[in-house]
Amino acid sequence: MVATHYEVGEKVPADICPTLADEGDITFAVSVEVYGGYGSAKHVYPTEQVERIQDLFVVGGEIDEVGVADDVRLYTIPHDALR
């Protein structure tokens, strides 16, 4: 399974966070890998473990809770650690 990699500070794609991504003020707070699932499902894994899923994103310069698309699953543990 091939993942798309995003670095800290990169803009979050609209298919992950549709409401805020269009405004351009939501970025990744940590490096992540995004794996595709069945249909349009997306699985977002940090490359290093985080405490909370909120720690994955920065909104307007601050870490905040973010609403994601219905078919997006967020994880706090790296993908490789789950194997």
Side-chain angles (χ1 to χ4, degrees):
M1 192 182 295
V2 177
T4 303
H5 185 83
Y6 294 95
E7 289 293 332
V8 173
E10 284 191 64
K11 183 178 174 184
V12 176
D15 59 348
I16 294 176
C17 295
T19 55
L20 293 173
D22 292 337
E23 298 170 17
D25 63 349
I26 181 169
T27 59
F28 288 107
V30 297
S31 296
V32 300
E33 293 178 330
V34 179
Y35 289 86
Y38 292 107
S40 61
K42 301 220 180 295
H43 301 271
V44 180
Y45 296 91
T47 56
E48 295 183 18
Q49 186 168 344
V50 295
E51 290 282 322
R52 309 166 303 151
I53 58 172
Q54 291 89 346
D55 296 338
L56 297 174
F57 306 104
V58 174
V59 179
E62 297 184 21
I63 293 177
D64 197 4
E65 189 168 336
V66 172
V68 296
D70 290 338
D71 55 354
V72 173
R73 302 295 174 257
L74 305 174
Y75 300 88
T76 58
I77 299 173
H79 184 264
D80 291 339
L82 297 174
R83 291 181 173 198

